[in-house]
């Protein structure tokens, strides 16, 4: 969906956010390596413009049967030889437990900001796992702060027995991609990724949209770069700017 020229511009803007040490920049535990950049659309309007592309908005509203707003926006960096794994998990549990969203009527739009190979630790999906609903008991973890929810020591990891059963029944697929590719996945889909063992960064931008009618019951205690404070539909943003 995105040309190499567009990807180059996006990566340059991400580099600028990192250089400025923006509030949403998160580093690997015990390292200076950048693990993620969160809330770029709050820092640079170009990221908001990207999310408002008509083909993306149409896809999301069609799937969710409602207008959508940006709940979360991030770039998972996974730097060369230092980027650490993401354990098996589903996404919705974090948005329900931490951000007070009642139903999994969200959608993840992942944009490859470079070619993604097996050696770089691509996302690994269990196809069809989203049809099983919640795979973890809510309230089983104590919130240790928002930082843990974006670290390799992830809160709400899926139990080994659950993952084993799902893999036996559904198998797994790796998300290999070329720069500019877009992959869309449900927030209940079980997924993980391994360490980046290659000599090049694996950058993956993920825009999470939520149905406007599914907005949180109350505002989250997490920072705005992790949990939206505004629920304006994407279609309404650009004409108003």
């Amino acid at each position: 969906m995105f040309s190499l020229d567009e990807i180059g511009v996006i990566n340059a803007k991400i580099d600028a956010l990192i250089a400025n040490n923006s509030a949403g920049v998160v580093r690997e535990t015990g390292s200076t390596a950048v693990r993620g950049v969160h809330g770029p659309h709050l820092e640079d309007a170009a990221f908001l413009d990207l999310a408002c592309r008509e083909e993306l908005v149409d896809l999301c509203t069609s799937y969710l049967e409602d207008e959508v707003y940006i709940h979360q926006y991030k770039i998972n960096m996974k730097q060369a030889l230092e980027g650490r794994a993401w354990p098996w998990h589903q996404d919705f549990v974090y948005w329900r437990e931490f951000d007070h969203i009642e139903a999994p009527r969200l959608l993840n739009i992942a944009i490859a900001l470079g070619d993604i190979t097996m050696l770089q630790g691509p996302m690994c999906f269990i196809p069809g796992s989203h049809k099983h609903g919640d795979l973890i008991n809510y309230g089983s973890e104590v919130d240790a702060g928002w930082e843990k929810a974006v670290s390799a020591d992830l809160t709400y990891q899926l139990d080994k027995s659950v993952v084993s059963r799902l893999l036996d029944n559904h198998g797994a697929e790796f998300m290999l991609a070329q720069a500019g590719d877009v992959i869309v996945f449900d927030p209940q889909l079980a997924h993980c990724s391994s360490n980046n063992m290659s000599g090049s960064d694996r950058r993956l931008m993920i825009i999470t949209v939520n149905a406007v009618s599914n907005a949180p019951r109350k505002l989250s205690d997490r920072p705005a770069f992790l949990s939206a404070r505004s629920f304006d539909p994407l279609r309404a943003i650009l004409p108003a700017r």
Side-chain angles (χ1 to χ4, degrees):
M1 183 175 288
F2 294 88
S3 70
L4 292 181
D5 286 343
E6 288 176 301
I7 294 300
V9 171
I10 293 169
N11 278 316
K13 289 182 175 294
I14 293 168
D15 291 339
L17 293 177
I18 294 171
N20 291 333
N21 200 29
S22 297
V25 173
V26 173
R27 301 182 187 276
E28 298 284 4
T29 304
S31 170
T32 59
V34 177
R35 180 173 176 85
V37 178
H38 301 81
H41 64 305
L42 304 177
E43 304 281 344
D44 187 332
F47 290 99
L48 182 58
D49 292 346
L50 185 156
C52 289
R53 283 180 67 141
E54 186 175 4
E55 54 266 60
L56 292 180
V57 176
D58 286 348
L59 187 155
C60 295
T61 55
S62 175
Y63 186 81
L64 295 172
E65 299 181 334
D66 197 351
E67 292 301 317
V68 299
Y69 71 91
I70 297 171
H71 176 66
Q72 195 175 87
Y73 202 138
K74 59 182 177 283
I75 301 99
N76 288 339
M77 298 294 291
K78 199 164 284 193
Q79 291 194 280
L81 300 173
E82 295 187 88
R84 296 182 61 193
W86 289 91
W88 283 109
H89 67 283
Q90 295 173 295
D91 287 339
F92 176 59
V93 59
Y94 304 94
W95 302 326
R96 173 168 171 166
E97 293 299 284
F98 300 150
D99 300 335
H100 316 295
I101 295 176
E102 291 188 341
R105 297 189 59 224
L106 303 99
L107 197 61
N108 290 315
I109 306 164
I111 303 168
L113 301 181
D115 294 347
I116 299 177
T117 67
M118 282 297 297
L119 204 58
Q120 291 177 308
M123 294 181 72
C124 181
F125 295 132
I126 300 180
S129 54
H130 63 296
K131 297 178 181 179
H132 294 272
D134 300 327
L135 296 170
I136 191 166
N137 294 324
Y138 290 120
S140 61
E141 295 240 13
V142 175
D143 181 9
W146 66 263
E147 294 90 349
K148 188 175 180 184
V150 295
S151 74
D153 183 26
L154 199 58
T155 46
Y156 294 114
Q157 296 180 33
L158 293 179
D159 187 80
K160 289 187 292 185
S161 63
V162 172
V163 174
S164 180
R165 184 178 70 251
L166 289 170
L167 290 171
D168 285 345
N169 292 333
H170 299 284
E173 291 186 15
F174 290 93
M175 194 197 77
L176 306 180
Q178 294 182 319
D181 285 352
V182 173
I183 301 92
V184 183
F185 63 101
D186 190 277
Q188 293 286 48
L189 193 68
H191 60 286
C192 70
S193 64
S194 60
N195 293 355
N196 185 353
M197 297 179 288
S198 80
S200 58
D201 295 347
R202 189 222 72 174
R203 291 186 173 189
L204 185 69
M205 176 181 289
I206 303 179
I207 306 168
T208 300
V209 300
N210 187 22
V212 170
S213 61
N214 193 43
R217 303 185 305 277
K218 62 179 181 178
L219 293 181
S220 174
D221 293 331
R222 299 204 293 174
F225 57 73
L226 286 180
S227 183
R229 299 294 191 267
S230 172
F231 314 122
D232 295 330
L234 286 180
R235 286 193 200 279
I237 292 175
L238 284 185
R241 289 180 56 207

